[in-house]
Amino acid sequence: MRKSGKGHNIDTLEGTDMAQTSTKHTDVIDLLVEQHAQIRHLFMQTLMSSGEERKRSFAQLVRLLAIHETAEEEIVHPMARRALPHGPALVEDRLKEEAKAKELLSTLEKMDTDDPNFMSMLDRLRMSVLTHARAEERYEFPQLRNHLGASQLRTLVTAVKAAEATAPTHPHPGTESATKNLLLGPVTALTDRIRDAIRSSKS
């Protein structure tokens, strides 16, 4: 971990998927809640920084959000849809929230981080994403813990990490279902990662 010029702790997550950031997870719920905390941290880091530091923080945020949401859409939400009493309705609400966040994130990614409108739009995205995360932690995750066995929840950690390892690293609105992610994900992920490598080589 390094320090910013303002004394804030900054996790050095560049080039690192969330699947690799920690290995101390009791089950998939612990993993997802930890990732929510990482996302909250990166939002604040981006909002509190400027110049090149803001660009770096925002790039990390984009990557982590894209990877996290893809894994949830491929693994977690389909399980909730099948296993929970009101799973289909619960998951549909979460997917609508994710679709709106992807649209806003995609718009932000096309903007310069020094654009006068960037910070206000970023704060709108932050509120949207954090509201979505709270809904998952309040309504979806506790029910999954209650309806799935401990061994199944531990096994899902491996499934989520595998999905994250091959997930796109940029938002792609319209691919919120597991089917679309699995059909389009591998090609999209490869394109995204080549794009990331080219950008990294130029920086």
Side-chain angles (χ1 to χ4, degrees):
M1 183 175 288
R2 62 187 171 87
K3 298 272 190 178
S4 73
K6 297 179 181 179
H8 303 295
N9 289 329
I10 297 176
D11 293 327
T12 54
L13 298 175
E14 293 175 39
T16 303
D17 291 352
M18 284 188 296
Q20 300 172 316
T21 56
S22 177
T23 57
K24 299 177 181 178
H25 304 115
T26 304
D27 59 34
V28 72
I29 306 304
D30 292 334
L31 171 63
L32 297 172
V33 170
E34 179 189 328
Q35 292 177 354
H36 286 174
Q38 293 170 353
I39 289 166
R40 284 193 294 271
H41 171 75
L42 281 172
F43 266 116
M44 292 309 300
Q45 184 174 304
T46 306
L47 286 166
M48 295 170 66
S49 60
S50 60
E52 289 302 313
E53 185 178 320
R54 181 188 294 170
K55 289 181 181 179
R56 286 192 298 270
S57 298
F58 181 62
Q60 292 174 32
L61 177 62
V62 169
R63 180 184 180 88
L64 298 186
L65 280 172
I67 291 172
H68 174 81
E69 296 301 343
T70 297
E72 286 190 334
E73 290 161 9
E74 288 185 6
I75 307 298
V76 182
H77 296 328
M79 179 62 73
R81 190 187 293 275
R82 293 191 302 269
L84 304 184
H86 302 288
L90 180 68
V91 168
E92 198 59 36
D93 287 342
R94 301 294 79 78
L95 293 179
K96 287 177 182 177
E97 293 163 0
E98 289 170 11
K100 290 180 181 178
K102 283 184 185 179
E103 291 282 359
L104 188 51
L105 183 60
S106 183
T107 299
L108 274 165
E109 196 177 18
K110 296 171 186 173
M111 298 172 64
D112 191 299
T113 55
D114 291 327
D115 187 300
N117 297 317
F118 178 83
M119 295 298 276
S120 61
M121 289 187 66
L122 179 66
D123 198 49
R124 279 177 51 202
L125 176 65
R126 182 180 70 89
M127 295 304 297
S128 175
V129 169
L130 297 191
T131 298
H132 169 72
R134 281 194 296 270
E136 288 181 331
E137 292 176 10
R138 179 176 295 180
Y139 302 116
E140 186 174 6
F141 295 172
Q143 290 193 60
L144 282 170
R145 197 183 290 283
N146 288 335
H147 285 82
L148 300 181
S151 62
Q152 194 170 11
L153 288 171
R154 288 194 297 270
T155 300
L156 284 173
V157 172
T158 301
V160 165
K161 288 185 176 182
E164 290 176 348
T166 57
T169 56
H170 297 271
H172 297 278
T175 59
E176 285 71 44
S177 73
T179 301
K180 288 183 179 178
N181 270 305
L182 291 171
L183 284 173
L184 303 176
V187 174
T188 304
L190 179 61
T191 302
D192 282 355
R193 289 165 194 263
I194 290 173
R195 171 183 168 191
D196 293 342
I198 293 172
R199 284 184 175 179
S200 178
S201 68
K202 292 181 177 179
S203 61

